[in-house]
């Protein structure tokens, strides 16, 4: 199980920002503005985009200690938050070069595409821009009427995974509802896809409630779905 203390801590850290108003980068739904607290940070201490860029050597080695000190003092500017967290969560070694990271990123994206294709073959809704919020399979592996799944998969692992998909969907539609980002079903589906694929890949953990809150910042911060998945995967390792 994911500990609530660890979960809350990592989510709060990832949502910290710097000088800019959060609303400029993460718009709040108008009906939620009154209930959304304003962040309090020190703009001069924030890890800015300029400070981030100069922390790299010519070939791409990162002075991670300097970066972490800056983050501890004032958070991270929203414009670079996704890139920073790829290092903080351990997706990339600070001692790696630009070229090494490009190669690793490409390999990871290709692996994610393969896993997604596996899942999509069983449940075609994955990758469609939509998500599931109702059961598609019974406890004994029987397909629910009108569900869009490949009924030829009846092994224990596949059944367990398919049974989790609607619970993931129910949690996704409740995730960060104050943010306008999740008014889009496409963005909700991106979060659902990542969680569904992770549940398939990590058969030991599969999915438990709370993982949606951990994954949500990655989905918001990283445009590429595969990159968001790998950040989430590293966060789960730490938890």
């Amino acid at each position: 199980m994911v500990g609530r203390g660890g979960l809350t801590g990592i989510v709060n850290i990832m949502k910290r920002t710097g000088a800019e108003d959060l609303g400029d980068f993460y718009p709040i739904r108008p009906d939620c503005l009154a209930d959304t607290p304003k962040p309090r940070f020190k703009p001069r201490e924030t890890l800015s985009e300029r400070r981030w860029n100069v922390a790299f050597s010519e070939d791409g080695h990162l002075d991670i200690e300097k970066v972490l000190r800056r983050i501890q003092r004032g958070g991270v500017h929203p414009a670079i938050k996704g890139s920073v967290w790829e290092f903080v969560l351990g997706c990339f070694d600070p001692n790696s070069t630009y070229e090494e990271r490009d190669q690793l990123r490409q390999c990871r994206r290709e692996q994610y595409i393969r896993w997604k294709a596996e899942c999509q073959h069983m449940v075609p809704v994955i990758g469609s821009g939509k998500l599931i919020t109702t059961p598609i399979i019974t406890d004994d592996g029987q397909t629910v009427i009108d569900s869009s799944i490949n009924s030829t998969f009846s092994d224990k692992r596949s059944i367990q995974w398919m049974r989790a998909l609607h619970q993931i969907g129910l949690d996704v539609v409740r995730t960060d509802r104050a943010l306008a980002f999740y008014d889009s079903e496409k963005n909700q589906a991106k979060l659902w896809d990542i969680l569904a694929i992770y549940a398939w890949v990590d058969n030991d953990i599969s999915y438990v409630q709370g993982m949606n809150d951990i994954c949500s910042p990655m989905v918001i911060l990283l445009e590429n779905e595969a990159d968001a998945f790998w950040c989430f995967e590293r966060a789960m390792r730490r938890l």
Side-chain angles (χ1 to χ4, degrees), residues 55-73:
F56 289 92
S57 67
E58 185 176 349
D59 62 353
H61 294 92
L62 175 64
D63 186 345
I64 190 66
E65 292 184 5
K66 181 179 180 180
V67 165
L68 290 176
R69 286 196 298 269
R70 178 65 63 174
I71 292 174
Q72 290 171 344
R73 288 198 297 268

Side-chain angles (χ1 to χ4, degrees), residues 144-233:
V144 175
I145 296 176
D146 295 331
S147 67
S148 178
I149 69 171
N150 188 334
S151 58
T152 62
F153 295 91
S154 58
D155 60 284
K156 183 177 180 181
R157 179 190 178 195
S158 299
I159 292 172
Q160 178 183 353
W161 174 68
M162 291 180 189
R163 287 176 56 198
L165 295 180
H166 85 280
Q167 182 59 60
I168 296 174
L170 291 174
D171 289 344
V172 163
V173 297
R174 293 192 291 257
T175 303
D176 288 332
R177 293 304 301 146
L179 297 180
F181 179 85
Y182 284 118
D183 283 343
S184 165
E185 185 180 22
K186 181 180 178 180
N187 290 334
Q188 290 182 352
K190 181 179 176 182
L191 175 59
W192 183 75
D193 283 349
I194 291 173
L195 291 170
I197 292 166
Y198 182 85
W200 173 250
V201 173
D202 192 336
N203 192 44
D204 291 332
I205 296 178
S206 184
Y207 175 79
V208 294
Q209 287 180 297
M211 288 166 63
N212 54 306
D213 292 319
I214 300 172
C215 189
S216 178
M218 288 77 160
V219 172
I220 296 170
L221 296 172
L222 293 160
E223 182 176 356
N224 185 279
E225 184 179 313
D227 296 344
F229 171 88
W230 286 107
C231 260
F232 173 65
E233 191 269 348

